[in-house]
């Protein structure tokens, strides 16, 4: 298993409890694919350094987990298709 971090930015017009539910759904989907969640860090609403898709702020969330490489493929696709997600990025911390 490898260590990963997933940073996700959700749309600013969402209510905070709804954003937390979405983060929980992503966590559950990772666990269903064999991942082991280490840390769930919710940053809340933050301003962007630059405009993204005509938005200037969003809700940030960072998940740290261990998983096989195949486990993140489905999650990556689902987040790419989600209307609630402004941006997401998987990292491999060194």
């Amino acid at each position: 298993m490898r260590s990963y971090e997933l940073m996700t930015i959700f749309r600013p017009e969402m209510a905070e409890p709804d954003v937390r539910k979405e983060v929980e759904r992503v966590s559950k989907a990772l666990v269903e694919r064999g991942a082991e969640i280490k840390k769930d860090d919710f940053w809340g609403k933050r301003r962007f350094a630059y405009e993204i898709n005509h938005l200037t702020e969003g809700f940030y969330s960072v998940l740290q987990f261990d998983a096989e490489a195949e486990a993140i493929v489905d999650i990556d696709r689902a987040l790419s298709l989600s209307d609630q997600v402004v941006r997401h990025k998987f990292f491999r911390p060194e």
Side-chain angles (χ1 to χ4, degrees):
M1 291 181 103
R2 296 179 173 174
S3 293
Y4 292 96
E5 287 185 8
L6 169 61
M7 176 176 270
T8 312
I9 304 173
F10 293 92
R11 298 189 66 80
E13 61 269 5
M14 293 177 67
E16 187 172 325
D18 294 336
V19 175
R20 289 185 184 270
K21 286 179 189 175
E22 288 294 319
V23 172
E24 189 175 317
R25 271 190 32 211
V26 172
S27 295
K28 285 181 183 178
L30 284 166
V31 169
E32 288 172 1
R33 287 160 179 78
E36 191 176 306
I37 306 295
K38 290 181 172 180
K39 187 177 177 184
D40 179 359
D41 194 10
F42 186 75
W43 294 5
K45 192 182 274 191
R46 303 273 176 108
R47 287 190 76 67
F48 298 155
Y50 54 90
E51 196 172 280
I52 302 173
N53 299 335
H54 306 291
L55 299 172
T56 58
E57 61 185 10
F59 286 97
Y60 282 74
S61 171
V62 177
L63 289 174
Q64 294 177 358
F65 60 96
D66 291 335
E68 298 296 331
E70 299 82 31
I72 65 171
V73 174
D74 294 335
I75 304 300
D76 185 39
R77 178 163 168 70
L79 290 173
S80 295
L81 296 173
S82 175
D83 292 333
Q84 307 300 335
V85 177
V86 176
R87 290 267 168 94
H88 74 283
K89 181 82 171 175
F90 286 94
F91 297 97
R92 290 258 340 264
E94 297 301 324

